[in-house]
Amino acid sequence: HTLGDAIFRALNLDFLEFARSSTDNPMHGVKAMFEDTFRKFLVYRALYDLRRSWRIVLPNLEQCALLKIDYLHLDELVAQPWTEIPEMAALTPELRSELLRAVFETFRLNYAFASHNYLDESVLREQEGAIKDRLKMPWCLERDERLTPPSALSMEGAAPKAGPFVKLIGPASLLGKFVVQFFREHSGSRLDRAAYRDLMERILTVLRDNLFLECRQLASRNAPPCTLYRLKADCILWNPGDKVHAAVDQIKSRSYKGVVNTRPNVFFQYLYQYDFKARKTLRGDEHTGQLNNDIRQEREDLFKKGDISALFCSPTMELGIDIKLLSIVHMRNVPPNPANYAQRAGRAGRNGQAALIFNFCSSYAPHD
């Protein structure tokens, strides 16, 4: 409930930096309406950034040990006797905490959230219009971008086609394999497919009754009803990381215990803490064939004047464009052949001035 305001205050932007407005001091009610739209957009971006994905070029705050996610009242939950689930009652509070944290992480990393104020389908569609009307680049939706509705988790079955994206957490899922292995290691019990389903449904029921989860049933014409589960977004606690140990996905890394790398990416750790506002405003834009000629020409002009600090280009920048003051070219991958390298590198250092050319060589590409 305080996340949007906290990010808004930390950014400390002037009103005209994010607001689509002709004046920097409109009426109080109008200004509050624009700021509220911006706060909600920031919450949406922050929640969406928590999902599981490959992030090598731009790791999120958890991967840089700058953020540590916890769950509200989890300690109180694991301290309960759990008499309704004997398998859980037989575990120590520490083991119950480890297991329940893995369940919560599965929801969080799959972007399976419930929030009536932020993530309901009707709220998202309403906010899309408000964001486009009230906010401006780069603090708004990208061209043709829409707010992604949250997914949901289900034990089995399939949701209707018109419903949310559903991730199954049955016995064959990553979570299912983790839970089966967890009980085999710590209690000596072996869960078959039926026993796992029964146990997990009872755990989900306890979490629902304690207001950690929201569940609802969706009926499908040619299939049995599908029960969808989502984690309530206000259960998440956002804590500062220790800057030493990066977050580890316990579900994904269960086969690699002892060799999991918890070192943070120190380059991005430094970059994300740097106060660029004390230096100058940095703005980056794309320059690709997907843009129409007017937008591309406008960005070239702004780049030449210095209002855009960096252009992220496809081969559209290879030929026929002369930006005399361009001093740095950074190629994200090795070009296909020497001629392409010469053309791209040759965008910088015109008229005899010095230039610096970077080339990032991926360790995964044989060509590089």
Side-chain angles (χ1 to χ4, degrees), residues 1 36 39-41 43-44 47 114-124 126-127 147 214 233-234:
H1 298 298
D36 183 63
R39 287 187 182 93
K40 288 180 177 177
F41 183 55
V43 170
Y44 169 82
L47 289 172
S115 173
H116 298 296
N117 290 331
Y118 294 98
L119 297 175
D120 273 4
E121 186 79 27
S122 58
V123 173
L124 290 177
E126 179 184 327
Q127 283 302 309
L147 296 177
E214 183 179 277
D234 57 6

PDB file of all heavy atoms in Angstrom, residues 1 36 39-41 43-44 47 114-124 126-127 147 214 233-234:
ATOM      1  N   HIS A   1       0.818  -1.206   0.000  1.00  0.00           N
ATOM      2  CA  HIS A   1       0.000   0.000   0.000  1.00  0.00           C
ATOM      3  C   HIS A   1       0.857   1.264   0.000  1.00  0.00           C
ATOM      4  O   HIS A   1       0.369   2.339  -0.348  1.00  0.00           O
ATOM      5  CB  HIS A   1      -0.922   0.002   1.226  1.00  0.00           C
ATOM      6  CG  HIS A   1      -1.892  -1.142   1.241  1.00  0.00           C
ATOM      7  ND1 HIS A   1      -2.846  -1.317   0.256  1.00  0.00           N
ATOM      8  CD2 HIS A   1      -2.036  -2.186   2.088  1.00  0.00           C
ATOM      9  CE1 HIS A   1      -3.552  -2.401   0.521  1.00  0.00           C
ATOM     10  NE2 HIS A   1      -3.077  -2.961   1.610  1.00  0.00           N
ATOM     11  N   ASP A  36      -1.346  10.441  -8.895  1.00  0.00           N
ATOM     12  CA  ASP A  36      -1.914   9.147  -8.515  1.00  0.00           C
ATOM     13  C   ASP A  36      -1.780   8.143  -9.653  1.00  0.00           C
ATOM     14  O   ASP A  36      -1.449   6.969  -9.426  1.00  0.00           O
ATOM     15  CB  ASP A  36      -3.384   9.321  -8.132  1.00  0.00           C
ATOM     16  CG  ASP A  36      -4.015   8.019  -7.667  1.00  0.00           C
ATOM     17  OD1 ASP A  36      -3.565   7.470  -6.649  1.00  0.00           O
ATOM     18  OD2 ASP A  36      -4.943   7.537  -8.339  1.00  0.00           O
ATOM     19  N   ARG A  39       1.826   7.008  -9.666  1.00  0.00           N
ATOM     20  CA  ARG A  39       2.120   6.080  -8.566  1.00  0.00           C
ATOM     21  C   ARG A  39       1.636   4.671  -8.896  1.00  0.00           C
ATOM     22  O   ARG A  39       2.341   3.690  -8.663  1.00  0.00           O
ATOM     23  CB  ARG A  39       1.467   6.569  -7.269  1.00  0.00           C
ATOM     24  CG  ARG A  39       2.137   7.779  -6.633  1.00  0.00           C
ATOM     25  CD  ARG A  39       1.510   8.063  -5.268  1.00  0.00           C
ATOM     26  NE  ARG A  39       2.089   9.243  -4.653  1.00  0.00           N
ATOM     27  CZ  ARG A  39       1.580  10.473  -4.774  1.00  0.00           C
ATOM     28  NH1 ARG A  39       0.485  10.659  -5.495  1.00  0.00           N
ATOM     29  NH2 ARG A  39       2.154  11.498  -4.180  1.00  0.00           N
ATOM     30  N   LYS A  40       0.425   4.563  -9.432  1.00  0.00           N
ATOM     31  CA  LYS A  40      -0.115   3.246  -9.765  1.00  0.00           C
ATOM     32  C   LYS A  40       0.698   2.582 -10.873  1.00  0.00           C
ATOM     33  O   LYS A  40       0.924   1.364 -10.850  1.00  0.00           O
ATOM     34  CB  LYS A  40      -1.579   3.383 -10.188  1.00  0.00           C
ATOM     35  CG  LYS A  40      -2.505   3.691  -9.015  1.00  0.00           C
ATOM     36  CD  LYS A  40      -3.955   3.817  -9.451  1.00  0.00           C
ATOM     37  CE  LYS A  40      -4.855   4.062  -8.242  1.00  0.00           C
ATOM     38  NZ  LYS A  40      -6.266   4.255  -8.630  1.00  0.00           N
ATOM     39  N   PHE A  41       1.151   3.367 -11.821  1.00  0.00           N
ATOM     40  CA  PHE A  41       1.980   2.826 -12.897  1.00  0.00           C
ATOM     41  C   PHE A  41       3.307   2.310 -12.347  1.00  0.00           C
ATOM     42  O   PHE A  41       3.807   1.265 -12.766  1.00  0.00           O
ATOM     43  CB  PHE A  41       2.216   3.907 -13.954  1.00  0.00           C
ATOM     44  CG  PHE A  41       3.000   3.444 -15.147  1.00  0.00           C
ATOM     45  CD1 PHE A  41       2.592   2.347 -15.890  1.00  0.00           C
ATOM     46  CD2 PHE A  41       4.159   4.103 -15.543  1.00  0.00           C
ATOM     47  CE1 PHE A  41       3.306   1.914 -17.001  1.00  0.00           C
ATOM     48  CE2 PHE A  41       4.873   3.684 -16.648  1.00  0.00           C
ATOM     49  CZ  PHE A  41       4.441   2.588 -17.369  1.00  0.00           C
ATOM     50  N   VAL A  43       3.828   1.109  -9.314  1.00  0.00           N
ATOM     51  CA  VAL A  43       3.559  -0.143  -8.599  1.00  0.00           C
ATOM     52  C   VAL A  43       3.458  -1.289  -9.591  1.00  0.00           C
ATOM     53  O   VAL A  43       4.021  -2.377  -9.384  1.00  0.00           O
ATOM     54  CB  VAL A  43       2.261  -0.037  -7.769  1.00  0.00           C
ATOM     55  CG1 VAL A  43       1.850  -1.408  -7.228  1.00  0.00           C
ATOM     56  CG2 VAL A  43       2.454   0.938  -6.622  1.00  0.00           C
ATOM     57  N   TYR A  44       2.736  -1.062 -10.680  1.00  0.00           N
ATOM     58  CA  TYR A  44       2.595  -2.101 -11.704  1.00  0.00           C
ATOM     59  C   TYR A  44       3.964  -2.509 -12.243  1.00  0.00           C
ATOM     60  O   TYR A  44       4.280  -3.696 -12.353  1.00  0.00           O
ATOM     61  CB  TYR A  44       1.715  -1.589 -12.844  1.00  0.00           C
ATOM     62  CG  TYR A  44       1.741  -2.495 -14.055  1.00  0.00           C
ATOM     63  CD1 TYR A  44       0.941  -3.628 -14.113  1.00  0.00           C
ATOM     64  CD2 TYR A  44       2.609  -2.244 -15.115  1.00  0.00           C
ATOM     65  CE1 TYR A  44       0.986  -4.480 -15.199  1.00  0.00           C
ATOM     66  CE2 TYR A  44       2.664  -3.089 -16.203  1.00  0.00           C
ATOM     67  CZ  TYR A  44       1.859  -4.204 -16.244  1.00  0.00           C
ATOM     68  OH  TYR A  44       1.924  -5.047 -17.312  1.00  0.00           O
ATOM     69  N   LEU A  47       5.934  -4.610  -9.563  1.00  0.00           N
ATOM     70  CA  LEU A  47       5.447  -5.979  -9.415  1.00  0.00           C
ATOM     71  C   LEU A  47       5.835  -6.837 -10.620  1.00  0.00           C
ATOM     72  O   LEU A  47       6.247  -7.988 -10.474  1.00  0.00           O
ATOM     73  CB  LEU A  47       3.924  -5.982  -9.242  1.00  0.00           C
ATOM     74  CG  LEU A  47       3.383  -5.463  -7.918  1.00  0.00           C
ATOM     75  CD1 LEU A  47       1.860  -5.348  -7.972  1.00  0.00           C
ATOM     76  CD2 LEU A  47       3.798  -6.357  -6.759  1.00  0.00           C
ATOM     77  N   ALA A 114      -2.839 -11.019  -6.886  1.00  0.00           N
ATOM     78  CA  ALA A 114      -4.200 -10.490  -6.782  1.00  0.00           C
ATOM     79  C   ALA A 114      -4.124  -9.132  -6.107  1.00  0.00           C
ATOM     80  O   ALA A 114      -3.503  -8.985  -5.048  1.00  0.00           O
ATOM     81  CB  ALA A 114      -5.088 -11.430  -5.973  1.00  0.00           C
ATOM     82  N   SER A 115      -4.717  -8.134  -6.739  1.00  0.00           N
ATOM     83  CA  SER A 115      -4.813  -6.802  -6.145  1.00  0.00           C
ATOM     84  C   SER A 115      -5.966  -6.072  -6.820  1.00  0.00           C
ATOM     85  O   SER A 115      -5.881  -5.729  -7.995  1.00  0.00           O
ATOM     86  CB  SER A 115      -3.511  -6.010  -6.327  1.00  0.00           C
ATOM     87  OG  SER A 115      -3.695  -4.681  -5.884  1.00  0.00           O
ATOM     88  N   HIS A 116      -7.042  -5.859  -6.063  1.00  0.00           N
ATOM     89  CA  HIS A 116      -8.228  -5.226  -6.644  1.00  0.00           C
ATOM     90  C   HIS A 116      -7.950  -3.769  -7.016  1.00  0.00           C
ATOM     91  O   HIS A 116      -8.557  -3.232  -7.939  1.00  0.00           O
ATOM     92  CB  HIS A 116      -9.404  -5.317  -5.678  1.00  0.00           C
ATOM     93  CG  HIS A 116      -9.813  -6.728  -5.376  1.00  0.00           C
ATOM     94  ND1 HIS A 116     -10.312  -7.570  -6.345  1.00  0.00           N
ATOM     95  CD2 HIS A 116      -9.768  -7.462  -4.235  1.00  0.00           C
ATOM     96  CE1 HIS A 116     -10.578  -8.755  -5.807  1.00  0.00           C
ATOM     97  NE2 HIS A 116     -10.249  -8.718  -4.533  1.00  0.00           N
ATOM     98  N   ASN A 117      -7.025  -3.123  -6.306  1.00  0.00           N
ATOM     99  CA  ASN A 117      -6.732  -1.721  -6.577  1.00  0.00           C
ATOM    100  C   ASN A 117      -5.827  -1.524  -7.797  1.00  0.00           C
ATOM    101  O   ASN A 117      -5.804  -0.437  -8.376  1.00  0.00           O
ATOM    102  CB  ASN A 117      -6.069  -1.063  -5.368  1.00  0.00           C
ATOM    103  CG  ASN A 117      -7.024  -0.893  -4.216  1.00  0.00           C
ATOM    104  OD1 ASN A 117      -8.233  -0.755  -4.430  1.00  0.00           O
ATOM    105  ND2 ASN A 117      -6.514  -0.907  -3.002  1.00  0.00           N
ATOM    106  N   TYR A 118      -5.057  -2.566  -8.161  1.00  0.00           N
ATOM    107  CA  TYR A 118      -4.051  -2.387  -9.198  1.00  0.00           C
ATOM    108  C   TYR A 118      -4.165  -3.354 -10.373  1.00  0.00           C
ATOM    109  O   TYR A 118      -3.884  -2.977 -11.508  1.00  0.00           O
ATOM    110  CB  TYR A 118      -2.640  -2.532  -8.592  1.00  0.00           C
ATOM    111  CG  TYR A 118      -2.284  -1.450  -7.609  1.00  0.00           C
ATOM    112  CD1 TYR A 118      -2.404  -1.668  -6.243  1.00  0.00           C
ATOM    113  CD2 TYR A 118      -1.824  -0.209  -8.038  1.00  0.00           C
ATOM    114  CE1 TYR A 118      -2.083  -0.678  -5.334  1.00  0.00           C
ATOM    115  CE2 TYR A 118      -1.497   0.784  -7.139  1.00  0.00           C
ATOM    116  CZ  TYR A 118      -1.623   0.555  -5.786  1.00  0.00           C
ATOM    117  OH  TYR A 118      -1.314   1.538  -4.892  1.00  0.00           O
ATOM    118  N   LEU A 119      -4.549  -4.613 -10.121  1.00  0.00           N
ATOM    119  CA  LEU A 119      -4.351  -5.649 -11.132  1.00  0.00           C
ATOM    120  C   LEU A 119      -5.620  -6.299 -11.666  1.00  0.00           C
ATOM    121  O   LEU A 119      -5.531  -7.199 -12.488  1.00  0.00           O
ATOM    122  CB  LEU A 119      -3.412  -6.738 -10.576  1.00  0.00           C
ATOM    123  CG  LEU A 119      -1.996  -6.272 -10.233  1.00  0.00           C
ATOM    124  CD1 LEU A 119      -1.215  -7.404  -9.577  1.00  0.00           C
ATOM    125  CD2 LEU A 119      -1.265  -5.765 -11.455  1.00  0.00           C
ATOM    126  N   ASP A 120      -6.788  -5.887 -11.196  1.00  0.00           N
ATOM    127  CA  ASP A 120      -8.012  -6.408 -11.801  1.00  0.00           C
ATOM    128  C   ASP A 120      -8.065  -5.991 -13.272  1.00  0.00           C
ATOM    129  O   ASP A 120      -7.600  -4.911 -13.639  1.00  0.00           O
ATOM    130  CB  ASP A 120      -9.239  -5.866 -11.071  1.00  0.00           C
ATOM    131  CG  ASP A 120      -9.607  -6.733  -9.873  1.00  0.00           C
ATOM    132  OD1 ASP A 120      -8.857  -7.689  -9.597  1.00  0.00           O
ATOM    133  OD2 ASP A 120     -10.626  -6.451  -9.216  1.00  0.00           O
ATOM    134  N   GLU A 121      -8.656  -6.854 -14.085  1.00  0.00           N
ATOM    135  CA  GLU A 121      -8.697  -6.591 -15.530  1.00  0.00           C
ATOM    136  C   GLU A 121      -9.324  -5.231 -15.834  1.00  0.00           C
ATOM    137  O   GLU A 121      -8.794  -4.461 -16.649  1.00  0.00           O
ATOM    138  CB  GLU A 121      -9.498  -7.702 -16.224  1.00  0.00           C
ATOM    139  CG  GLU A 121      -9.504  -7.629 -17.737  1.00  0.00           C
ATOM    140  CD  GLU A 121      -8.239  -8.152 -18.381  1.00  0.00           C
ATOM    141  OE1 GLU A 121      -7.574  -9.012 -17.766  1.00  0.00           O
ATOM    142  OE2 GLU A 121      -7.921  -7.681 -19.482  1.00  0.00           O
ATOM    143  N   SER A 122     -10.430  -4.898 -15.193  1.00  0.00           N
ATOM    144  CA  SER A 122     -11.096  -3.626 -15.465  1.00  0.00           C
ATOM    145  C   SER A 122     -10.231  -2.438 -15.034  1.00  0.00           C
ATOM    146  O   SER A 122     -10.188  -1.407 -15.707  1.00  0.00           O
ATOM    147  CB  SER A 122     -12.448  -3.572 -14.740  1.00  0.00           C
ATOM    148  OG  SER A 122     -12.279  -3.737 -13.345  1.00  0.00           O
ATOM    149  N   VAL A 123      -9.520  -2.598 -13.907  1.00  0.00           N
ATOM    150  CA  VAL A 123      -8.645  -1.530 -13.427  1.00  0.00           C
ATOM    151  C   VAL A 123      -7.489  -1.319 -14.398  1.00  0.00           C
ATOM    152  O   VAL A 123      -7.116  -0.175 -14.711  1.00  0.00           O
ATOM    153  CB  VAL A 123      -8.111  -1.865 -12.010  1.00  0.00           C
ATOM    154  CG1 VAL A 123      -7.073  -0.837 -11.574  1.00  0.00           C
ATOM    155  CG2 VAL A 123      -9.256  -1.913 -11.018  1.00  0.00           C
ATOM    156  N   LEU A 124      -6.909  -2.410 -14.903  1.00  0.00           N
ATOM    157  CA  LEU A 124      -5.791  -2.297 -15.846  1.00  0.00           C
ATOM    158  C   LEU A 124      -6.213  -1.568 -17.113  1.00  0.00           C
ATOM    159  O   LEU A 124      -5.477  -0.711 -17.625  1.00  0.00           O
ATOM    160  CB  LEU A 124      -5.249  -3.690 -16.189  1.00  0.00           C
ATOM    161  CG  LEU A 124      -4.501  -4.426 -15.082  1.00  0.00           C
ATOM    162  CD1 LEU A 124      -4.092  -5.819 -15.560  1.00  0.00           C
ATOM    163  CD2 LEU A 124      -3.270  -3.651 -14.634  1.00  0.00           C
ATOM    164  N   GLU A 126      -8.673   0.543 -17.461  1.00  0.00           N
ATOM    165  CA  GLU A 126      -8.920   1.948 -17.114  1.00  0.00           C
ATOM    166  C   GLU A 126      -7.602   2.698 -16.965  1.00  0.00           C
ATOM    167  O   GLU A 126      -7.459   3.835 -17.427  1.00  0.00           O
ATOM    168  CB  GLU A 126      -9.733   2.010 -15.820  1.00  0.00           C
ATOM    169  CG  GLU A 126     -10.043   3.419 -15.337  1.00  0.00           C
ATOM    170  CD  GLU A 126     -10.761   3.411 -13.997  1.00  0.00           C
ATOM    171  OE1 GLU A 126     -11.531   2.477 -13.740  1.00  0.00           O
ATOM    172  OE2 GLU A 126     -10.534   4.354 -13.209  1.00  0.00           O
ATOM    173  N   GLN A 127      -6.618   2.039 -16.321  1.00  0.00           N
ATOM    174  CA  GLN A 127      -5.330   2.694 -16.121  1.00  0.00           C
ATOM    175  C   GLN A 127      -4.573   2.903 -17.430  1.00  0.00           C
ATOM    176  O   GLN A 127      -3.847   3.886 -17.571  1.00  0.00           O
ATOM    177  CB  GLN A 127      -4.473   1.863 -15.157  1.00  0.00           C
ATOM    178  CG  GLN A 127      -4.864   2.006 -13.702  1.00  0.00           C
ATOM    179  CD  GLN A 127      -4.803   3.447 -13.225  1.00  0.00           C
ATOM    180  OE1 GLN A 127      -3.807   4.139 -13.413  1.00  0.00           O
ATOM    181  NE2 GLN A 127      -5.895   3.918 -12.634  1.00  0.00           N
ATOM    182  N   LEU A 147      -0.864  -3.046 -20.478  1.00  0.00           N
ATOM    183  CA  LEU A 147      -0.594  -3.560 -19.143  1.00  0.00           C
ATOM    184  C   LEU A 147      -0.949  -5.047 -19.115  1.00  0.00           C
ATOM    185  O   LEU A 147      -2.068  -5.433 -19.452  1.00  0.00           O
ATOM    186  CB  LEU A 147      -1.421  -2.809 -18.102  1.00  0.00           C
ATOM    187  CG  LEU A 147      -1.108  -1.309 -17.950  1.00  0.00           C
ATOM    188  CD1 LEU A 147      -2.057  -0.683 -16.940  1.00  0.00           C
ATOM    189  CD2 LEU A 147       0.336  -1.082 -17.527  1.00  0.00           C
ATOM    190  N   GLU A 214      -5.819 -15.637  -2.868  1.00  0.00           N
ATOM    191  CA  GLU A 214      -7.183 -15.443  -3.349  1.00  0.00           C
ATOM    192  C   GLU A 214      -7.458 -16.552  -4.348  1.00  0.00           C
ATOM    193  O   GLU A 214      -6.620 -16.847  -5.199  1.00  0.00           O
ATOM    194  CB  GLU A 214      -7.317 -14.083  -4.023  1.00  0.00           C
ATOM    195  CG  GLU A 214      -8.704 -13.760  -4.502  1.00  0.00           C
ATOM    196  CD  GLU A 214      -8.780 -12.386  -5.141  1.00  0.00           C
ATOM    197  OE1 GLU A 214      -8.921 -11.388  -4.397  1.00  0.00           O
ATOM    198  OE2 GLU A 214      -8.653 -12.308  -6.390  1.00  0.00           O
ATOM    199  N   ALA A 233      -1.041  -9.326  -3.356  1.00  0.00           N
ATOM    200  CA  ALA A 233       0.161  -8.504  -3.526  1.00  0.00           C
ATOM    201  C   ALA A 233       0.537  -7.747  -2.262  1.00  0.00           C
ATOM    202  O   ALA A 233       1.713  -7.422  -2.053  1.00  0.00           O
ATOM    203  CB  ALA A 233      -0.031  -7.531  -4.690  1.00  0.00           C
ATOM    204  N   ASP A 234      -0.445  -7.459  -1.384  1.00  0.00           N
ATOM    205  CA  ASP A 234      -0.106  -6.706  -0.173  1.00  0.00           C
ATOM    206  C   ASP A 234       0.526  -7.590   0.901  1.00  0.00           C
ATOM    207  O   ASP A 234       0.821  -7.118   2.001  1.00  0.00           O
ATOM    208  CB  ASP A 234      -1.331  -5.972   0.379  1.00  0.00           C
ATOM    209  CG  ASP A 234      -2.502  -6.891   0.685  1.00  0.00           C
ATOM    210  OD1 ASP A 234      -2.324  -8.121   0.569  1.00  0.00           O
ATOM    211  OD2 ASP A 234      -3.582  -6.388   1.031  1.00  0.00           O
TER     212      ASP A 234
END
